[in-house]
Amino acid sequence: MLKEDGTVTDSREGGRLRLLVCVSGGGTNLQAIIDGIKNKTITNTEIISVVSNNRKAYALVRAAEEGIPALCISPKDYEDREAFNRAFLEAVQQAGPDLIVLAGFLVVLPEEMIAGYRNRIINIHPSLIPSFCGKGYYGLKVHEKALERGVKVTGATVHFVDEGTDTGPIILQKAVSVEKGDTPEILQKRVMEQAEWVILPKAIDMIANGKIAVEDGRCIETDKGGCS
Ligand code: GAR
């Protein structure tokens, strides 16, 4: 288990950090986590469940190929948002994860879930927060806006999730150069390869090994290592 401040408590002694990974699409970040666990860049960690809001998400195929329990909970299958939120929260509680990873999950989380899992939910965002983030900034749109603005450097951010959109404590960031002739698709691929697939596994490993704490809304280093 993790403490409220994000550090690992002794009660998880010897046990692995149990991840629930939420996805909506291709699942390349899920794959980076799977690969990180296999090649031991992520230690003391297991994926106990994958949840998708999209039945057609290729991420579900990736989970099935690895024998990871996966389920689809779509807002479309529920009468209203409240009913969806309830079902989603119940599924998460039933799985009982230590850490929830939003790996390209394009659904706004129920507030009850954010409050119940304070500093136990992380998100990967494809820009250097606070640039190109917040409502309406997701997926390819982030890169379209970065190119429109003409930035020379972009990147990715892993952060804890709070009640705002992309406003939680920042765990890791990595910069990526914008090159001449970039299209949103080319830039997205470079940001994924050079930043997202590096810092998301790294952040999980840091959390699993008690290297991160949150103080006054900011991620700080602990004596076992820290944010870089
Ligand atoms: C990733 O680029 C991720 O950073 C982004 O969605 C993509 C999912 O790709 N997330 C957001 O934009 C969240 N605001 P994937 O399904 O291949 O991991």
Side-chain angles (χ1 to χ4, degrees):
M1 288 292 288
L2 294 174
K3 279 197 286 196
E4 280 286 288
D5 65 0
T7 55
V8 179
T9 66
D10 290 338
S11 67
R12 202 173 56 89
E13 216 177 319
R16 292 188 284 193
L17 186 78
R18 293 157 47 84
L19 303 184
L20 181 142
V21 185
C22 296
V23 294
S24 297
T28 63
N29 279 287
L30 168 66
Q31 192 65 53
I33 301 168
I34 292 169
D35 294 346
I37 292 172
K38 279 189 187 164
N39 68 29
K40 298 191 173 32
T41 50
I42 305 174
T43 58
N44 298 325
T45 301
E46 65 181 313
I47 303 174
I48 57 161
S49 182
V50 169
V51 177
S52 174
N53 65 306
N54 169 12
R55 210 169 298 287
K56 294 192 180 136
Y58 188 70
L60 288 172
V61 176
R62 296 181 193 270
E65 278 172 359
E66 297 298 323
I68 300 167
L71 72 154
C72 175
I73 305 178
S74 167
K76 288 183 200 150
D77 297 337
Y78 295 87
E79 195 168 289
D80 53 26
R81 196 68 190 191
E82 235 173 78
F84 164 74
N85 282 350
R86 251 196 321 276
F88 183 45
L89 192 58
E90 264 170 37
V92 169
Q93 283 167 343
Q94 207 161 20
D98 296 310
L99 185 71
I100 297 165
V101 181
L102 309 184
F105 190 56
L106 303 181
V107 172
V108 176
L109 296 188
E111 291 220 339
E112 206 185 330
M113 186 163 152
I114 297 169
Y117 289 83
R118 181 80 54 204
N119 295 336
R120 295 203 287 147
I121 307 174
I122 64 171
N123 179 49
I124 177 83
H125 183 77
S127 74
L128 295 174
I129 289 174
S131 288
F132 309 111
C133 65
K135 221 167 164 219
Y137 284 90
Y138 60 88
L140 207 55
K141 283 183 200 208
V142 177
H143 306 292
E144 283 167 7
K145 294 288 177 193
L147 289 176
E148 253 173 54
R149 184 63 185 85
V151 293
K152 308 303 176 207
V153 174
T154 184
T157 302
V158 184
H159 62 93
F160 285 111
V161 172
D162 66 7
E163 279 74 5
T165 307
D166 304 323
T167 52
I170 291 170
I171 302 168
L172 290 174
Q173 293 188 298
K174 192 163 189 289
V176 174
S177 294
V178 176
E179 309 284 351
K180 208 170 152 209
D182 272 354
T183 62
E185 289 79 6
I186 292 170
L187 185 57
Q188 179 182 50
K189 188 162 179 278
R190 188 179 313 115
V191 168
M192 283 177 156
E193 284 172 357
Q194 294 185 7
E196 296 186 38
W197 304 341
V198 177
I199 62 174
L200 184 59
K202 188 171 174 191
I204 293 168
D205 183 63
M206 290 171 78
I207 293 168
N209 291 288
K211 293 180 180 174
I212 290 174
V214 178
E215 264 181 36
D216 298 330
R218 282 192 294 267
C219 173
I220 57 144
E221 295 184 15
T222 68
D223 54 3
K224 290 185 183 175
C227 308
S228 60

